[in-house]
Amino acid sequence: FFFCLLVECVVLYSVPMLRQCFIASRATKSLILTCPGAFKPMPMFANASRHLSLRRRRKRGGKFGPSKENRDSVALNRPDKVTNRVEFAVAAQNFLDRIEVALGPMKKCNDVFIITRDAKMLSIELEPACGEYSFEIFEDNCIIALQTPISGKFSYVLKSDTKEWVNQEDGHSCEGLLVRDLIRQCKGVPKL
């Protein structure tokens, strides 16, 4: 059916006299096609674009914002974090050690790739146009903050069941964000 419609539209649009009718009918949003071999008009979908569009519809209701069931699911997506400060401090230092080792081979591939490390911070300096990456440990809140020139600043917690560093809001992986941003700006891939 749609193929016939397309062929008829092409035929209509190629004949100058019918082209005017076709353009006029498009302006009024009511499409009338002439059947081949017959000269009587055949009405078509008046709002075909509405039927073919791929828009999402919002849920019905007068209130704005997420519904009660959506709010509950957002709260369930937040990870359970490790709150023991000793366990957090050991895991945070091990994580920064692992990141430092994983980024080591990338020094050879890039002209400017300087890794600086102290007790509570790891920073990666790139070319001046690319910016700087930094990890900072906050033991009071049991959080590691990652700041990248592309994505900005995010806070990560140690997930209690998997021992993975995930975002405290939506649960995305710290390593995943770091790798994604680094491969956009540098040569090579961290060996995580």
Side-chain angles (χ1 to χ4, degrees):
F1 175 75
F2 288 110
F3 178 74
C4 293
L5 174 67
L6 179 63
V7 170
E8 289 174 1
C9 287
V10 170
V11 169
L12 275 176
Y13 206 72
S14 63
V15 178
M17 185 172 161
L18 294 175
R19 185 182 322 143
Q20 296 299 328
C21 295
F22 184 70
I23 291 171
S25 66
R26 284 184 61 202
T28 61
K29 291 188 178 179
S30 61
L31 186 62
I32 299 175
L33 295 177
T34 303
C35 297
F39 292 116
K40 63 179 188 177
M42 180 180 77
M44 237 229 20
F45 298 114
N47 295 323
S49 62
R50 189 183 87 205
H51 295 291
L52 298 175
S53 67
L54 298 174
R55 287 186 293 158
R56 279 192 184 165
R57 299 178 121 199
R58 67 178 178 88
K59 290 188 177 182
R60 297 202 182 265
K63 297 180 181 178
F64 292 102
S67 63
K68 184 177 186 295
E69 57 270 357
N70 287 345
R71 274 183 274 154
D72 294 341
S73 67
V74 170
L76 294 175
N77 287 339
R78 290 193 176 198
D80 293 328
K81 67 179 187 175
V82 171
T83 54
N84 182 353
R85 289 187 183 181
V86 175
E87 183 182 356
F88 171 80
V90 170
Q93 291 299 324
N94 290 341
F95 178 68
L96 291 186
D97 290 340
R98 203 177 76 176
I99 295 291
E100 186 176 12
V101 169
L103 296 174
M106 292 182 69
K107 287 181 183 180
K108 299 173 189 170
C109 302
N110 298 285
D111 295 334
V112 179
F113 199 90
I114 303 166
I115 300 173
T116 309
R117 171 84 191 270
D118 64 10
K120 302 222 184 223
M121 193 165 197
L122 172 76
S123 65
I124 307 149
E125 293 179 41
L126 305 176
E127 296 175 3
C130 293
E132 179 179 337
Y133 290 76
S134 66
F135 285 95
E136 190 171 359
I137 299 173
F138 295 101
E139 289 182 4
D140 296 339
N141 300 333
C142 297
I143 291 173
I144 287 183
L146 168 63
Q147 182 161 0
T148 71
I150 294 176
S151 298
K153 190 170 188 175
F154 288 98
S155 299
Y156 295 93
V157 296
L158 182 63
K159 197 170 178 182
S160 60
D161 55 349
T162 61
K163 303 300 182 201
E164 181 185 9
W165 293 95
V166 295
N167 182 268
Q168 64 182 1
E169 297 297 322
D170 63 5
H172 73 263
S173 170
C174 178
E175 294 173 7
L177 183 88
L178 176 68
V179 170
R180 184 192 75 187
D181 286 359
L182 277 175
I183 63 176
R184 288 181 180 177
Q185 292 186 308
C186 303
K187 297 175 188 169
V189 178
K191 299 197 183 238
L192 291 170

